[in-house]
Amino acid sequence: QKLRLVLITGAVALLILALARPQWGFTWQESKQKGLDIVVAIDTSKSMLAEDIAPNRLARAKLAALDLMQQAKSDRLGLVDFAGGAFLQCPLTIDDNAFRQSVEALDVNIIPQGGTALAEAITTALGAFKEGDNFKVLVLFIDCEDNDENALAAAQAAAKEGLKIFTIGIGTTEGEIL
């Protein structure tokens, strides 16, 4: 009787141990993951001060860029501001605070040239993607037509290099007099 009780208890203990799946040691397993490199380009021309959407178009574009930052948790973000010219305000980074500060610092007086140089914005954004094999994305926040006819050629050249461009229109169809 005692031997049978010991054997049943031992069998139950070994069964529980087997269900726990104990493992000895460890193995290194390297995995590669492709993320997104997102450059946000915001139009900072004077027309972005129109108040057809509250509080104005530029403030709304800034809020949309910050919302995008919240969604892109592990992706790198960069910022290009453009009007008559384009400038890389924030290079690609995973630092949310640096991106947020760059977005909040945007103003219509940053680039003194008036107009909307969309081709230059695309070219500047393409220059921000220097290394890595991540997916390249450009998100354009713009309110009007391009003052430069080279935008289509710049977009086609960027597409050949693997850049995906998403354009977000800011403003209403009625617009507002400036």
Side-chain angles (χ1 to χ4, degrees):
Q1 284 286 351
K2 290 182 183 181
L3 180 62
R4 183 176 178 187
L5 182 63
V6 168
L7 289 174
I8 290 176
T9 305
V12 170
L14 289 174
L15 180 65
I16 292 173
L17 186 65
L19 289 175
R21 296 187 60 187
Q23 297 178 6
W24 183 265
F26 61 91
T27 59
W28 286 99
Q29 184 175 3
E30 187 174 322
S31 64
K32 283 196 164 199
Q33 181 178 354
K34 286 177 92 172
L36 289 176
D37 284 345
I38 304 170
V39 172
V40 177
I42 297 180
D43 183 3
T44 56
S45 61
K46 301 277 188 205
S47 64
M48 292 293 281
L49 293 177
E51 296 178 349
D52 54 345
I53 56 173
N56 61 34
R57 293 175 181 176
L58 182 60
R60 186 60 70 163
K62 287 179 179 183
L63 290 173
L66 293 176
D67 285 344
L68 178 63
M69 180 191 73
Q70 295 295 325
Q71 297 297 319
K73 292 181 172 52
S74 63
D75 300 322
R76 296 192 312 168
L77 290 168
L79 179 67
V80 170
D81 60 319
F82 67 100
F87 178 71
L88 182 63
Q89 185 81 11
C90 177
L92 287 170
T93 182
I94 57 171
D95 185 3
D96 288 345
N97 288 329
F99 182 78
R100 176 180 284 111
Q101 288 175 353
S102 296
V103 169
E104 290 171 353
L106 286 179
D107 191 273
V108 294
N109 297 320
I110 287 180
I111 297 181
Q113 285 178 290
T116 304
L118 192 54
E120 194 171 338
I122 293 171
T123 305
T124 303
L126 191 58
F129 302 105
K130 292 184 179 165
E131 77 285 336
D133 59 346
N134 290 344
F135 295 108
K136 302 174 190 173
V137 176
L138 171 61
V139 180
L140 283 165
F141 290 101
I142 189 169
D143 70 339
C144 63
E145 292 183 17
D146 181 27
N147 294 348
D148 182 6
E149 287 96 30
N150 299 328
L152 182 59
Q156 289 171 340
K160 287 179 184 174
E161 294 194 34
L163 179 65
K164 302 284 185 197
I165 301 175
F166 298 93
T167 306
I168 312 294
I170 304 290
T172 61
T173 54
E174 295 82 28
E176 183 175 287
I177 297 174
L178 294 174

